[in-house]
């Protein structure tokens, strides 16, 4: 995915879709056959019909329907109410039938939200079913992810190839594209991965942020190439989660006027009526947060109310809008509607029959009536026309604004600029490091003579260097910018009135920050969000970080103050188990660089891994530049930084990471003075080391050498894998302490002396 | 700590304080000498003066001061304003001087909040400095924990032995009782551990919940033995964190009228003016949440405004109150006040001098002027009188209501009833399991013939059995009670109007739930809160769980749906790395029981560990009752459930936990048929196994036997410690999948066949 400038955009996007499928071990063979339409891309090979013409054509196609005046400015022609109701019931029964067949799932939300779902996908949203990755599509996020059958039904009706009838029939089955919660990496057309409550609305804030940012950077008075809405549906559960309050506060602060969130106000959660735990005045809270709030009192059949609310929401440009839609969970089920029993279980054959009776639905399971099918069929040509129109617009834009267009394409398709990695600061000997000619710097490295520095500072040098060459890099900190060292000096703050800037101020909202970054990353492949706090506070945002890993969002987590080395703030602020806890997490890179070269290496790895998030654990305290470290070494995850043995047979292998690599190196020096053959290995990323060949691993950690000692200022949990049964892991298996850092290191025995003693013990 | 019924309450409480100190490895020797005053306890050895008399006496003692009409009903006599100002400046300079000496810390908040701090500790709160554990004390929580010098200064002035002058002088130093953030386990007088933002206000909600619950259960019309307020100070950072919104929504829902939170509205956070990230209308949000909101516009010198606000807050009985106090961070510092630079760094010698000049403070560092000392000195006799008065009241209560008093004492001092553990359900063969005579059941165990059941269901049997014998057991779920199986059937819901009940409905607020439980646990030693959600959502509450572990809050985390065994909900809901991530965390018990006996054992361990939280990972799916499991085995953490070898020399050792222990047992049967000597070990809690003697460990895992195979439906990370370099760990090092559970197990190779193959490979 690195430097794909020789590919066309369409190839790049297609490659992206396919490479994902090819590398995933679980997906069944059918999925690798997904054929995206040839991306008409920037070459304008598709009809260049103007928007007006397209619309007219489309209208003509549905002319047999009664066409009413659209309630919402940008609304598509709507069908007559009886057909709308039929479509809405189709959605309801597709959900009912799929859950029934799987005997597992959540029918209640789709049954209640089908009206707003229908209006969004059939009348409001602009998308291209045959290219789910079309850049300027409206984004939709089902924050209440358990209701995923709503979205699958809508994608199916809209003509997405990812949700065919057989996919609906294999809902929640092994290898299907219709898993139990929406997963962007399984189902093209699903933007983000939701289910864990509150994540989706946060992702939606990230998507809307990305739109506002890109629009401000790239739109021209004569050409708005970035112009889409972000819609979300959230339920009572999402509303209760703290993360949603965090991100909704930010959404208003940033003035994300094109974010429109539907709150499915159905008064039921798993434990029963929301009265038992949720009696706040949500409207008032959102007004306090700075949102525009609208209440649709009849979400079950009030189609015009819903339409009017969307129209009003779109008219409010400077605030996000919450449309509270009062619905009945499980609407239509005579015996289970409005109860928790319809939330998360199949209705059961008897109640399904009763519901068919009640809603007058004589059809077989999974049936889509012909007139409904016919009505929705217009979205395929309409979507193609939307994209074609946009492609034409972009082609014109590219002609006039070639520089901006190149940058934009880099963001849209993740074409990293050729040679970008040369920007990585591999020397701090010059004070004009950023001004150095890039070509000159490829061979420079930090030397042991370079000044000692905290890796958090070295991180800032990297971020600032990369921001110059990576147009999609943007991010910030959860109110610790000056501690995390994350400010991009050449940019201002992303704010309501300066959305073109790239320093994002998240406030003290770690969880929301992570999930917003997931939304940014998944908006466009070339957006590279980073976010920062103290490493220990990954605990606040772990749910979001896990979703980065699961949903293949290449967020860069800049986590400073990565050990007891932070000193006086004490145990509440000192990470202990955090390195281990992330090493155990799938599909994430846990990197703990030791100095300048390794920090640059960590950033190189992080930038290249666009489908795997990276966590950089960085020191508060100064660290020396070590002999033997290198970017190339970091790319291997574990590598030898010094060795005085021969024949791959050291007397002892010392291992360390980050700030303790220095200690391992010092201990080695002492042991060598005593005549020992000592190898020192940096284990900056266990995941990358795991991916190396057996031969390489043997060259670093020969099986025959069982005398091994590791040192890391964190839990020893997991180190047995590397030190083996006969080795010794030095670490901290208790909480930290409030005192100057040096004192804690000494009291906790994280010292060269301890390494030397252990080395003698094991060898 | 288990069954201490033979101890007096005072002994029990003292033992509690001391045993903590004795077992902590880090604390310096001085701390083990902390001498609590002999607890006058329930024997009424102290003066029996009525409250009125006491108050009169106390007033007399301060009669040299100008006594004004108290602005707040329950306010103590207040000093004249000049003396108040002197006291306030004393607080400011103690903070300034301590931070300066440490050259580390946060002077800004104490300088701005000194007025409200003074009024709270000097005029409003009821406490006994010489017995920080007096039951009926008002609770104070500094949610903005970085400002801890405010609290240390106040504890010092009030006469707490935990914060002497030398403690202030060793602020943030190794072994001191004045760490960088407030830590209840270091500093008597500090109720909870704060610093990670938002936790403190959540703890305060838990403290207030505990008060309301206990008051409802134990108070009589003629004797209110439970009657205290909970105060908190939170800052902008706490307000931004999602957790604070979660818990404040609940606080209003529950009508916690005796919770009074001060919001230090100083407009500054670390990154600068809050304008950059926090522009919501906090007052309106809190009104939306259902709080009473008061704004004190001049928090710097408006003493009467603060007093009036507290009076108003106390008059509102059915809602918690937020007092927004607008202050100037770093008030008094001529060049740094109202800027982020005063938030988290020492002022520097020059600015300290300038501040002394500016506030007219001619004194040496750490000086407390004599009149200020004199003024505060009344709190020692006053506190003793408060406690004595309460003891008298309680003695009378005990005479009238002996049964309630016994239960109350159990909660107050954590005297677990003798034989409580006999209530643990060790057999489900009888349908009237709870009605069985306790004495009869000690020798019963689950047998392989007992019906298979999910450990989440077995957990519910335990909870319900324990609720009958443990008066302090209460808790609930984050809107998953019917999935987590956590309802106590004999109790109703803890709600605003039924606070005596014990089922707490947390709503979908995992993070808040955990932190509220920390508050409950730390309110009274005998309160045993449990809380529940799906195991994967520990990610949402990890910061709170870590603080349980750090602050020695024995919360029981009931975490169901503990693996891919949950099936169709898919990877967002399937924990993978979670077992490893908690095994790496200090001072917490990660328990994964396999069946009925082990679930009972897990509860026994969890209840007994009152200073260490427990996480119980429980299955959604049914599991058989296995031969060889036992409560006693669980208490050892790892133990042999079956073995056909002799001489401690099995051919191979198979290990498993939870739902996979069955698979290990099946594989063993097959291997034994082939003539192998196979041992099966349950590793239900690694922490407990670690604590066993070397001899015991060798008896379970003989070093000579390197043929070892483990199986667990989770990350293999960490298992190398038990399987060794030559063993093999079978697990899941990728994310899960949405499909029926059996299918996923098979596809992921979590099968007996895989164990057999691995066993043959390694042996």
């Amino acid at each position: 995915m690195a430097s794909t400038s020789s590919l066309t955009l369409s190839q790049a996007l297609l490659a992206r879709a396919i490479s994902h499928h090819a590398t995933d071990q679980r997906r069944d063979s059918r999925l690798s056959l997904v054929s995206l339409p040839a991306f008409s891309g920037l070459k304008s090979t598709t009809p260049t019909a103007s928007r007006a013409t397209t619309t007219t054509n489309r209208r003509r196609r549905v002319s047999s329907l009664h066409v009413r005046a659209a309630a919402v400015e940008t609304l598509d022609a709507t069908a007559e109410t009886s057909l709308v109701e039929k479509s809405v019931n189709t959605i309801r029964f597709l959900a009912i039938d799929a859950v029934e067949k799987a005997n597992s799932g959540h029918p209640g939300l789709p049954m209640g939200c089908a009206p707003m779902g229908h209006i969004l996908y059939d009348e409001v949203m602009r998308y291209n079913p045959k290219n789910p990755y079309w850049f300027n599509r409206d984004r939709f996020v089902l924050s209440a992810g358990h209701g995923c059958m709503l979205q699958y039904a809508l994608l199916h009706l809209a003509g997405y190839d990812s949700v065919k009838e057989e996919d609906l029939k294999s809902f929640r089955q092994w290898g299907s594209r219709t898993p139990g919660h929406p997963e962007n990496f399984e189902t093209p057309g699903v933007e983000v991965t939701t289910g864990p409550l509150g994540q989706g609305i946060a992702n939606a804030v990230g998507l809307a942020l990305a739109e506002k940012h890109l629009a401000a950077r790239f739109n021209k008075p004569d050409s708005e190439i970035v112009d889409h809405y972000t819609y979300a549906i959230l339920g009572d559960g999402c509303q209760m989660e703290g993360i949603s309050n965090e991100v909704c506060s930010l959404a208003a602060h940033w003035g994300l006027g094109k974010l429109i969130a539907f709150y499915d106000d159905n008064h039921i959660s798993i434990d029963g009526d929301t009265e038992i735990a949720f009696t706040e005045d949500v409207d008032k809270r959102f007004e306090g947060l700075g949102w525009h709030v609208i209440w649709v009192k009849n979400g079950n059949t009030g189609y015009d109310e819903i339409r009017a609310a969307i129209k009003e929401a779109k008219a409010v440009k400077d605030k996000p809008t919450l449309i509270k839609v009062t619905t009945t969970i499980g609407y239509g089920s005579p015996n289970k509607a409005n109860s928790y029993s319809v939330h998360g279980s199949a209705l059961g054959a008897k109640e399904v029959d009763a519901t068919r009776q009640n809603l007058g639905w004589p059809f077989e399971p999974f049936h889509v009536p012909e007139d409904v099918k016919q009505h929705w069929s217009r979205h395929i040509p309409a979507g193609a026309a939307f994209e074609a129109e946009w492609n034409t617009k972009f082609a014109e834009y590219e002609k006039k604004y070639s520089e901006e267009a190149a940058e934009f394409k880099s963001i849209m398709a993740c074409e990293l600029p050729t040679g970008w990695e040369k920007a990585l600061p591999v020397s701090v000997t010059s004070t004009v490091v950023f001004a150095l000619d890039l070509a000159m710097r490829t061979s420079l490295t930090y030397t042991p003579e370079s000044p000692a520095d905290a890796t958090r500072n070295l991180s800032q040098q990297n971020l600032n260097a990369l921001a110059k060459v990576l147009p999609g890099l943007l991010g910030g900190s959860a109110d610790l910018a000056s501690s995390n060292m994350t400010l991009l000096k050449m940019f201002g703050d992303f704010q309501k009135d300066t959305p073109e800037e790239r320093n994002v101020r998240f406030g003290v909202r770690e969880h929301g920050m992570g999930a917003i970054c997931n939304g940014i990353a998944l908006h466009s492949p070339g957006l590279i969000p980073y976010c920062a706090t103290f490493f220990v506070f990954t605990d606040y945002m772990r749910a979001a970080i896990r979703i980065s890993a699961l949903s293949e969002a290449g967020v860069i987590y800049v986590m400073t103050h990565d050990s007891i080395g932070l000193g006086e703030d004490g145990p509440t602020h000192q990470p202990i188990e955090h390195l281990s806890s992330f090493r155990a997490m799938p599909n994430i890179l846990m990197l703990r660089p030791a100095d300048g070269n390794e920090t640059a290496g960590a950033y190189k790895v992080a930038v290249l891994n666009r489908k795997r998030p990276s966590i950089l654990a960085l020191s508060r305290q100064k660290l020396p530049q070590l002999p033997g470290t290198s970017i190339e070494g970091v790319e291997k995850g574990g590598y030898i930084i010094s060795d005085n043995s021969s024949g791959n047979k050291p007397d002892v292998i010392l291992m360390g990471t980050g700030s303790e690599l220095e200690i391992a190196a010092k201990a080695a020096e002492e042991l060598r003075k005593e005549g020992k053959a000592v190898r020192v290995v940096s284990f900056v990323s266990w995941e990358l080391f795991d991916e190396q060949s057996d031969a390489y691993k043997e060259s670093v950690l020969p099986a025959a050498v069982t005398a091994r000692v590791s040192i890391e200022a964190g839990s020893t949990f997991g180190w047995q894998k590397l030190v083996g049964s006969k080795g010794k892991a030095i670490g901290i298996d208790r909480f930290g302490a409030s005192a100057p850092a040096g004192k804690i290191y000494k009291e906790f025995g994280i010292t060269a002396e301890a390494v030397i003693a252990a080395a003698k013990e094991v060898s």
Side-chain angles (χ1 to χ4, degrees), chain A:
Chain A
M1 190 50 55
S3 180
T4 55
S5 57
S6 63
L7 293 176
T8 65
L9 260 185
S10 60
Q11 287 170 316
L13 281 175
L14 199 58
R16 179 171 186 255
I18 289 172
S19 79
H20 165 79
H21 292 306
T23 53
D24 189 294
Q25 42 186 323
R26 173 157 55 91
R27 218 159 272 102
D28 72 12
S29 61
R30 183 166 54 95
L31 289 175
S32 59
L33 300 176
V34 166
S35 72
L36 288 179
F39 180 72
S40 55
L42 306 168
K43 294 178 182 168
S44 304
T45 55
T46 42
T48 54
S50 78
R51 188 165 174 179
T53 324
T54 316
T55 310
T56 313
N57 284 342
R58 198 152 25 77
R59 285 232 169 102
R60 202 168 302 141
R61 243 173 268 124
V62 294
S63 61
S64 62
L65 304 171
H66 171 74
V67 178
R68 326 180 294 104
V72 179
E73 267 181 317
T74 58
L75 282 192
D76 201 348
T78 54
E80 62 185 15
T81 302
S82 66
L83 186 57
V84 170
E85 268 173 8
K86 205 165 179 184
S87 169
V88 166
N89 280 336
T90 303
I91 297 163
R92 290 191 176 117
F93 280 97
L94 287 177
I96 290 170
D97 295 338
V99 172
E100 200 63 23
K101 182 160 193 297
N103 193 24
S104 172
H106 301 75
L109 183 141
M111 293 165 76
C113 291
M116 62 181 109
H118 169 88
I119 290 173
L120 274 175
Y121 269 80
D122 189 53
E123 302 178 12
V124 175
M125 281 171 53
R126 291 160 45 124
Y127 54 85
N128 181 4
K130 296 302 174 196
N131 180 8
Y133 303 110
W134 169 47
F135 171 80
N136 203 38
R137 68 194 181 275
D138 286 333
R139 266 66 169 181
F140 172 78
V141 175
L142 185 64
S143 190
H146 51 274
C148 56
M149 264 313 305
L150 173 72
Q151 194 170 6
Y152 299 149
L154 292 165
L155 293 174
H156 176 61
L157 292 174
Y160 282 78
D161 293 325
S162 48
V163 190
K164 303 268 191 200
E165 187 177 330
E166 63 262 31
D167 298 301
L168 296 175
K169 287 180 173 166
S170 57
F171 178 54
R172 294 188 153 223
Q173 302 309 302
W174 178 261
S176 85
R177 287 184 292 197
T178 47
H181 290 84
E183 296 169 357
N184 61 301
F185 52 96
E186 292 287 2
T187 318
V190 169
E191 302 288 350
V192 296
T193 294
T194 58
L197 294 173
Q199 299 292 329
I201 181 66
N203 298 159
V205 171
L207 292 168
L209 179 155
E211 195 271 348
K212 182 162 178 158
H213 172 69
L214 295 176
R217 269 173 74 181
F218 294 104
N219 284 355
K220 303 288 176 184
D222 62 346
S223 183
E224 298 207 342
I225 54 169
V226 184
D227 176 25
H228 70 77
Y229 283 86
T230 301
Y231 300 95
I233 295 179
L234 62 163
D236 290 304
C238 292
Q239 289 288 19
M240 288 188 249
E241 291 286 4
I243 184 177
S244 66
N245 195 69
E246 292 181 4
V247 300
C248 290
S249 180
L250 282 171
H253 173 76
W254 290 328
L256 301 180
K258 288 162 88 176
L259 173 64
I260 299 176
F262 294 80
Y263 162 33
D264 175 28
D265 170 49
N266 66 29
H267 291 279
I268 296 292
S269 67
I270 293 177
D271 277 354
D273 195 295
T274 52
E275 279 295 312
I276 66 173
F278 187 49
T279 48
E280 65 180 55
D281 181 340
V282 174
D283 305 32
K284 195 166 185 179
R285 176 162 63 88
F286 268 77
E287 282 163 12
L289 294 176
W291 284 54
H292 182 66
V293 179
I294 305 170
W295 182 16
V296 170
K297 291 181 185 165
N298 173 12
N300 294 328
T301 57
Y303 305 114
D304 283 340
E305 275 185 74
I306 296 172
R307 292 178 181 120
I310 297 172
K311 183 176 179 184
E312 182 181 328
K314 287 191 169 183
V316 176
K317 309 278 189 199
D318 61 337
K319 290 177 173 186
T321 296
L322 183 78
I323 304 178
K324 182 170 90 168
V325 188
T326 299
T327 69
T328 303
I329 191 169
Y331 179 87
S333 161
N335 303 303
K336 295 193 168 180
N338 200 28
S339 84
Y340 70 90
S341 64
V342 77
H343 166 87
S345 310
L347 294 179
K350 205 175 142 192
E351 188 65 12
V352 171
D353 284 349
T355 308
R356 278 189 147 70
Q357 200 84 34
N358 188 42
L359 291 178
W361 198 254
F363 307 109
E364 288 297 291
F366 298 103
H367 181 74
V368 179
E370 208 45 51
D371 48 352
V372 171
K373 209 178 272 179
Q374 172 63 27
H375 174 72
W376 280 84
S377 68
R378 74 198 194 287
H379 288 289
I380 292 175
F386 282 141
E387 180 166 347
E389 183 190 1
W390 184 84
N391 287 338
T392 306
K393 191 191 268 186
F394 186 77
E396 284 160 14
Y397 180 95
E398 198 171 17
K399 271 183 223 153
K400 281 199 200 167
Y401 311 107
S402 63
E403 206 174 309
E404 291 91 330
E407 224 177 56
F408 180 79
K409 281 159 72 176
S410 163
I411 288 173
M412 181 167 60
C414 197
E415 294 177 3
L416 299 180
T418 313
W420 67 271
E421 67 275 13
K422 290 177 186 158
L424 291 168
V426 283
S427 169
V428 287
T429 49
S430 165
T431 53
V432 286
V433 62
F434 304 134
L436 275 175
D437 177 77
L438 292 187
M440 270 184 60
R441 293 178 44 231
T442 46
S443 60
L444 294 179
T445 54
Y446 287 95
T447 69
E449 289 71 42
S450 310
D453 208 347
T455 48
R456 61 172 170 154
N457 292 332
L458 299 163
S459 162
Q460 186 169 41
Q461 293 170 10
N462 278 274
L463 283 171
N464 276 277
L466 290 171
K468 291 206 151 182
V469 294
L470 298 177
L473 188 76
L474 79 167
S477 160
D479 196 48
L480 288 169
S482 52
S483 291
N484 302 139
M485 308 303 289
T486 46
L487 281 183
L488 303 178
K489 293 173 185 172
M490 68 287 267
F491 295 113
D493 285 357
F494 171 88
Q495 292 287 2
K496 186 174 186 172
D497 298 322
T498 52
E500 70 282 6
E501 301 290 354
R502 297 209 227 159
N503 286 303
V504 185
R505 304 291 198 160
F506 291 100
V508 192
R509 303 180 182 96
E510 299 83 5
H511 198 180
M513 172 173 73
I516 287 171
C517 285
N518 286 337
I520 297 172
L522 295 174
H523 183 278
S524 297
L527 284 179
I528 307 178
Y530 66 90
C531 64
T533 183
F534 290 165
F535 189 32
V536 77
F537 297 138
T538 50
D539 285 351
Y540 274 69
M541 56 195 305
R542 196 169 166 93
I545 295 175
R546 188 175 206 257
I547 290 184
S548 304
L550 175 62
S551 68
E552 305 176 352
V555 177
I556 301 176
Y557 290 94
V558 180
M559 296 292 149
T560 71
H561 296 60
D562 72 345
S563 77
I564 51 165
L566 65 85
E568 291 88 344
D569 274 346
T572 51
H573 285 54
Q574 292 162 353
I576 296 292
E577 68 279 16
H578 299 73
L579 292 165
S580 303
S581 80
F582 286 112
R583 286 173 185 149
M585 187 181 278
N587 199 44
I588 196 162
L589 294 169
M590 180 68 249
L591 296 140
R592 190 165 186 249
D595 65 359
N597 290 324
E598 287 203 351
T599 304
Y603 271 99
K604 184 175 178 191
V605 164
V607 170
L608 284 173
N609 275 272
R610 293 293 79 234
K611 286 177 160 294
R612 179 156 66 160
S614 298
I615 303 180
L616 277 62
L618 302 163
S619 76
R620 175 188 187 228
Q621 71 273 31
K622 283 192 180 183
L623 304 175
Q625 309 300 335
L626 295 172
T629 57
S630 69
I631 291 178
E632 297 69 34
V634 173
E635 293 181 293
K636 294 201 161 76
Y639 67 105
I640 300 167
I641 65 160
S642 75
D643 197 358
N644 67 330
S645 72
S646 57
N648 204 20
K649 284 200 167 180
D651 297 328
V652 64
I653 301 174
L654 306 183
M655 318 171 191
T657 75
S659 44
E660 287 68 65
L661 188 60
E662 171 196 3
I663 299 177
K666 269 191 195 152
E669 270 178 50
E670 292 304 314
L671 288 165
R672 285 171 192 150
K673 282 182 198 159
E674 298 176 23
K676 294 260 190 188
V678 184
R679 172 176 296 177
V680 180
V681 179
S682 168
F683 271 106
V684 56
S685 166
W686 295 25
E687 300 82 10
L688 293 175
F689 184 71
D690 272 348
E691 292 168 11
Q692 303 307 310
S693 67
D694 287 345
Y696 177 77
K697 287 187 216 171
E698 174 68 16
S699 77
V700 175
L701 284 187
V705 182
T706 59
R708 304 176 183 183
V709 176
S710 70
I711 183 159
E712 184 172 72
S715 168
T716 60
F717 191 85
W719 272 100
Q720 291 80 7
K721 177 179 176 176
L722 295 174
V723 298
S725 301
K726 296 184 178 163
K728 194 163 179 192
I730 297 173
I732 307 171
D733 293 313
R734 49 157 297 173
F735 285 112
S738 173
K743 177 72 175 169
I744 313 175
Y745 266 86
K746 205 178 148 205
E747 294 285 345
F748 282 12
I750 310 297
T751 60
E753 293 69 39
V755 176
I756 293 165
K760 289 179 180 172
E761 203 179 302
V762 298
S763 60

